[in-house]
């Protein structure tokens, strides 16, 4: 049995027709192998989304999200794999189920930087 650590950081910028959205975040997770083919893991994610450069004709939904918003999430996954090789496999199965909880008890206080 082995225990693994997953650390991920990212920054994205998406240019939509009516606005620009930027994301800055990261996650940390742990997983454990049970035998040769089964792996179970948990992770936590923290992400900041910034919506700006909004078109004056954008839907109200977009305007409601203007500024910076923080998102938190907890996740769990289970994976079954029996591949003949991890890179470019020719036979076997790689199946994964994932559940993620965000908002609710994990909700962050609004950090909107939009002008009042």
């Amino acid at each position: 049995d082995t225990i693994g650590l997953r650390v991920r950081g990212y920054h994205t910028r998406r240019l939509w027709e009516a606005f620009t959205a930027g994301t800055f975040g990261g996650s940390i997770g742990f997983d454990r192998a049970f035998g040769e083919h089964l792996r179970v893991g948990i992770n936590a994610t923290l992400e900041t989304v910034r919506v700006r450069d909004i078109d004056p004709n954008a839907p109200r939904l977009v305007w409601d999200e203007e500024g910076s918003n923080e998102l938190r999430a907890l996740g769990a996954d289970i994976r079954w794999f029996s591949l003949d090789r991890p890179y470019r496999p020719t036979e076997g199965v790689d199946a994964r189920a994932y559940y993620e909880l965000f908002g609710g008890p994990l909700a962050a206080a609004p950090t909107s930087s939009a002008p009042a």
Side-chain angles (χ1 to χ4, degrees):
D1 293 351
T2 59
I3 296 175
L5 169 66
R6 297 176 287 185
V7 178
R8 186 180 102 156
Y10 51 91
H11 179 269
T12 62
R13 184 172 179 188
R14 293 187 175 134
L15 304 174
W16 298 94
E17 188 174 317
F19 63 94
T20 301
T23 304
F24 180 76
S27 65
I28 185 167
F30 299 95
D31 60 21
R32 180 173 178 199
F34 294 92
E36 192 175 331
H37 302 290
L38 180 65
R39 190 171 283 281
V40 176
I42 59 171
N43 70 348
T45 302
L46 178 61
E47 183 174 280
T48 300
V49 179
R50 183 174 178 205
V51 177
R52 60 190 179 102
D53 301 332
I54 301 174
D55 184 275
N57 298 320
R60 181 76 192 150
L61 180 66
V62 174
W63 282 102
D64 289 344
E65 297 303 320
E66 182 183 22
S68 294
N69 298 288
E70 192 174 278
L71 304 172
R72 297 177 189 154
L74 293 176
D77 67 284
I78 185 168
R79 179 179 178 210
W80 173 266
F81 56 100
S82 61
L83 303 174
D84 59 344
R85 337 182 263 245
Y87 302 101
R88 302 182 72 190
T90 57
E91 63 182 50
V93 174
D94 188 352
R96 181 178 178 213
Y98 185 82
Y99 179 80
E100 187 171 57
L101 173 67
F102 60 93
L106 302 173
T111 57
S112 178
S113 61

